[in-house]
């Protein structure tokens, strides 16, 4: 057991739970959105997971999953495989940052910046939780019961939280 | 710099920033909610901040901030103070868990690994902050940027070249 690994494994598990729930949605439901959220369910899931894969690469890690386009829904199998691969990459990078802090160079156009790896590793977790929350809000308005995807649910599913 | 410290400091910063935004709301706006969220802004803030001390004490940590009760509303100063104390408590417990994992038993007889609580602390707050941001948007207000990038810029962790 490792707190660092647990943080990213719970994020992975929650992503996979939401993907599994959304797999059963109609095309119309996947296109549903709400004011104050990122966009449609399909767009939010794609954005969320594409970003995780992107963080791994930007952190100097190895992402071995399928390419996830930012602008079109690639299907649930691709998103699941990408979630698993991104998690492995994030855990590897988190262990590296814990052993020795490092900085990455981010470039956009003519501008560049040095970014501490820790903040991108933190952003990966916040980003996932933020967008899952938005998807769950939309699903609730569609009448779906939301599974317990927080750490309690993860603990129960993985035997880390054992009820009587 | 430590990844563990950073995770809980960013969580603290995001909650404090959200509290600052919500401090300016009218009583009617604080009572606003949106379908699919936890409840009103006021109630959700209390739920985020009020839950954190119990997470810390459950895993053997010390919480030295004010007690947060739902009624009467304790005010934004108390919520901010509680958030700061809770962050200190989480960091202490997270560092301890990195050194040595442990398990505890609740009065109800449940057995829980400490890491589950430490993961839940971050997850819980992020989820409910997102709900408040959704409500703020439905009120026609710009929600504050609470992401890791903004935190990094504000704390000098992104250095333009």
């Amino acid at each position: 057991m490792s707190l660092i690994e647990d943080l990213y494994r719970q994020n992975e598990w929650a992503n996979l739970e939401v993907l599994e729930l959304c797999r059963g949605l109609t095309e119309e439901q996947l296109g549903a959105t709400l004011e104050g959220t990122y966009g449609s369910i399909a767009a939010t899931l794609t954005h969320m997971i594409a970003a995780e894969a992107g963080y791994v690469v930007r952190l100097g890690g190895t992402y071995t999953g399928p390419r996830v386009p930012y602008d079109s829904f690639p299907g649930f199998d691709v998103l699941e495989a990408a979630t698993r691969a991104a998690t492995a990459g994030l855990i590897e990078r988190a262990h590296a940052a814990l052993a020795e802090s490092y900085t990455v160079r981010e470039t956009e156009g003519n501008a560049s910046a040095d970014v501490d790896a820790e903040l991108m590793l933190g952003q990966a977790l916040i980003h996932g939780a933020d967008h899952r929350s938005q998807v769950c809000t939309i699903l609730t308005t569609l009448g779906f019961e939301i599974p317990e995807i927080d750490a309690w649910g993860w603990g129960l599913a993985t035997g880390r939280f054992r009820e009587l | 710099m430590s990844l563990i410290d950073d995770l809980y400091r960013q969580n603290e910063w995001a909650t404090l920033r959200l509290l600052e935004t919500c401090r300016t709301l009218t009583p009617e706006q604080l009572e606003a909610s949106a379908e699919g969220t936890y409840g009103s802004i006021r109630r959700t803030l209390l739920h985020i901040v009020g839950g954190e001390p119990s997470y810390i004490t459950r895993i053997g940590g010390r919480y030295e901030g004010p007690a947060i009760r739902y009624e009467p509303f304790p005010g934004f100063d108390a919520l901010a103070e509680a958030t700061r104390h809770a962050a200190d408590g989480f960091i202490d417990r997270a560092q301890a868990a990195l050194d040595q994992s442990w398990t505890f038993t609740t009065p109800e007889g449940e057995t829980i690994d400490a890491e589950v609580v430490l993961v839940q602390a971050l997850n819980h707050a992020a989820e409910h902050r997102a709900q408040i941001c959704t409500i703020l948007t439905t009120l026609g207000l710009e929600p504050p940027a609470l992401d890791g990038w903004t935190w990094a810029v504000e704390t000098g962790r992104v250095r333009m070249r």
Side-chain angles (χ1 to χ4, degrees), chain A residues 18-79:
Chain A
V18 171
L19 287 173
E20 197 53 39
L21 177 63
C22 292
R23 199 184 265 276
L25 301 183
T26 64
E27 206 164 303
E28 191 180 329
Q29 288 168 329
L30 280 172
T33 187
L34 269 184
E35 192 182 355
T37 63
Y38 174 81
S40 72
I41 291 175
T44 308
L45 292 174
T46 306
H47 165 76
M48 185 172 84
I49 294 164
E52 291 187 9
Y55 291 142
V56 176
V57 176
R58 290 159 72 184
L59 282 160
T62 305
Y63 170 72
T64 57
R67 194 181 77 83
V68 181
Y70 275 90
D71 53 356
S72 62
F73 182 66
F76 286 101
D77 289 346
V78 167
L79 292 180

Side-chain angles (χ1 to χ4, degrees), chain A residues 10 114 116 123 151 160 162, chain B residues 111 113 120 123 148 157 159:
Chain A
Q10 189 276 336
D114 289 335
D116 293 343
Q123 170 65 10
R160 307 287 299 278
R162 298 169 290 280
Chain B
T111 309
D113 294 345
Q120 173 65 10
N123 211 278
R157 306 292 296 278
R159 296 168 292 280

Side-chain angles (χ1 to χ4, degrees), chain A residues 1 6-7 10 36 105 112-114 116 118-120 122-123 126 130 133 150-152 160-162 164, chain B residues 1 6-7 10 55 103 108 110-111 113 115-116 120 123 127 130 134 137 148-149 152 157-159 161:
Chain A
M1 288 179 286
D6 286 341
L7 287 161
Q10 189 276 336
R105 175 73 49 88
S112 67
D114 289 335
D116 293 343
E118 290 89 347
L119 81 89
M120 206 180 291
Q123 170 65 10
I126 299 160
D130 187 19
S133 177
D150 59 11
W152 303 136
R160 307 287 299 278
F161 182 149
R162 298 169 290 280
L164 272 178
Chain B
M1 288 177 285
D6 285 340
L7 291 171
Q10 194 281 335
Y55 290 154
T103 296
E108 293 76 31
E110 302 153 329
T111 309
D113 294 345
E115 289 90 344
V116 174
Q120 173 65 10
N123 211 278
E127 179 191 353
T134 296
T137 306
W149 304 127
R157 306 292 296 278
V158 171
R159 296 168 292 280
R161 297 189 60 87

Side-chain angles (χ1 to χ4, degrees), chain B:
Chain B
M1 288 177 285
S2 145
L3 176 55
I4 286 295
D5 280 28
D6 285 340
L7 291 171
Y8 292 94
R9 287 294 171 213
Q10 194 281 335
N11 184 61
E12 172 191 32
W13 168 86
T15 300
L16 290 173
R17 193 177 169 102
L18 184 58
L19 286 170
E20 280 312 300
T21 296
C22 294
R23 194 188 275 273
T24 64
L25 301 180
T26 65
E28 292 75 23
Q29 287 171 326
L30 280 173
E31 293 308 322
S33 183
E35 195 180 353
T37 62
Y38 175 80
S40 71
I41 292 174
R42 186 178 69 93
R43 189 172 158 75
T44 308
L45 286 173
L46 287 167
H47 178 66
I48 295 171
V49 180
E52 294 192 340
S54 72
Y55 290 154
I56 294 164
T57 53
R58 272 193 253 183
I59 51 176
R62 289 174 61 184
Y63 168 75
E64 296 173 335
I68 299 300
R69 296 191 174 81
Y70 278 49
E71 296 292 346
F73 184 64
F76 285 98
D77 288 345
L79 292 178
E81 191 185 348
T83 297
R84 291 191 184 95
H85 281 281
D88 293 341
F90 283 133
I91 289 170
D92 167 70
R93 291 293 82 195
Q95 293 291 359
L98 268 189
D99 293 339
Q100 173 74 56
S101 183
W102 76 92
T103 296
F104 67 98
T105 303
T106 67
E108 293 76 31
E110 302 153 329
T111 309
I112 308 174
D113 294 345
E115 289 90 344
V116 174
V117 180
L118 288 161
V119 174
Q120 173 65 10
L122 295 177
N123 211 278
H124 183 254
E127 179 191 353
H128 288 300
R129 284 194 302 263
Q131 293 175 341
I132 291 176
C133 288
T134 296
I135 301 171
L136 289 170
T137 306
T138 66
L139 291 174
L141 302 170
E142 178 88 21
L146 305 178
D147 58 280
W149 304 127
T150 307
W151 172 71
V153 170
E154 290 201 354
T155 55
R157 306 292 296 278
V158 171
R159 296 168 292 280
M160 299 307 292
R161 297 189 60 87

